[in-house]
Amino acid sequence: LFSAFKVGDVGVMVMNAQNGWEVGDEIQSRYARILNKPLIGVINQLDGDKANFEATMEGVRAASSVKPVIVQYPVEVGAGFTSFIDVLMMKMYRFTDENGTREELEIPAEEMERAQELHQTLVETAAENDEDLMMLYFDKGALTQDDIRSGLKLGVAKRDCLPVFCSSAKRDVGSKRIME
């Protein structure tokens, strides 16, 4: 595992939503820091009985030296985990089977305020990583999806931010979106 990490460009740190930040996460984080490798975070097993997205995020915030920024958050955790809100795309993705088949939906009204707040944080984090994006953000008050991706890419490369995604690998929920 760590031999592959040495030659890879970016590591994907998979965290267990049922256990939160664990010793293995600390070890991965330490190796990434030593090797100066950027990381992308994935909170997995959100369909588990003891899954807790918020507690896992709190553990990441407390223990990580890199600023975590939410790209996706689950609508519901536990056995009912079938959908998440993607605050980059500003869409809700609902998964309809165990094979990763998904529907792209509008964000429900009851989730819109939280999604907008997290989207704003994502935009600000992206802008912090590039002076041109910062100026564009100050001028227009917003950034395009491509601008956000560009800023996040720079932030990840500099190890200034850790984009966090949602998944259930067992049910193929979120895997495709992470790869996109």
Side-chain angles (χ1 to χ4, degrees):
L1 174 68
F2 294 111
S3 297
F5 195 46
K6 289 179 181 180
V7 297
D9 292 330
V10 177
V12 178
M13 184 163 68
V14 181
M15 296 163 276
N16 185 328
Q18 297 185 93
N19 300 331
W21 185 268
E22 299 179 283
V23 172
D25 301 323
E26 183 61 40
I27 292 169
Q28 285 181 11
S29 181
R30 185 179 323 125
Y31 273 99
R33 192 171 43 253
I34 290 167
L35 298 171
N36 198 32
K37 295 288 183 172
L39 292 172
I40 294 171
V42 177
I43 298 180
N44 189 36
Q45 296 187 19
L46 285 162
D47 57 338
D49 292 337
K50 297 177 184 173
N52 188 328
F53 180 80
E54 299 304 328
T56 303
M57 281 303 301
E58 283 305 313
V60 174
R61 284 184 191 103
S64 178
S65 61
V66 180
K67 176 186 175 183
V69 59
I70 295 173
V71 178
Q72 301 169 346
Y73 71 91
V75 175
E76 183 179 339
V77 297
F81 175 65
T82 60
S83 55
F84 58 77
I85 307 293
D86 187 309
V87 298
L88 171 63
M89 304 296 286
M90 287 307 283
K91 296 285 181 186
M92 182 172 92
Y93 292 95
R94 181 173 36 215
F95 294 81
T96 58
D97 60 25
E98 304 285 316
N99 299 315
T101 305
R102 69 181 187 195
E103 300 174 315
E104 184 177 295
L105 306 166
E106 295 302 315
I107 298 173
E110 63 270 12
E111 292 292 331
M112 188 55 80
E113 184 177 341
R114 181 176 185 201
Q116 288 174 334
E117 287 173 9
L118 291 172
H119 178 78
Q120 189 63 32
T121 301
L122 195 64
V123 169
E124 290 169 3
T125 301
E128 289 170 359
N129 293 298
D130 183 315
E131 259 186 61
D132 293 335
L133 288 179
M134 183 67 79
M135 296 307 293
L136 184 63
Y137 175 62
F138 285 145
D139 288 344
K140 295 185 176 182
L143 295 176
T144 66
Q145 286 182 9
D146 288 339
D147 291 337
I148 297 168
R149 283 187 185 101
S150 174
L152 288 177
K153 182 178 178 181
L154 289 170
V156 168
K158 294 187 298 186
R159 292 189 33 82
D160 286 341
C161 69
L162 174 75
V164 178
F165 297 83
C166 294
S167 78
S168 167
K170 180 173 66 175
R171 295 179 36 218
D172 198 13
V173 172
S175 306
K176 182 178 178 184
R177 187 66 197 104
I178 293 166
M179 299 306 288
E180 291 172 346

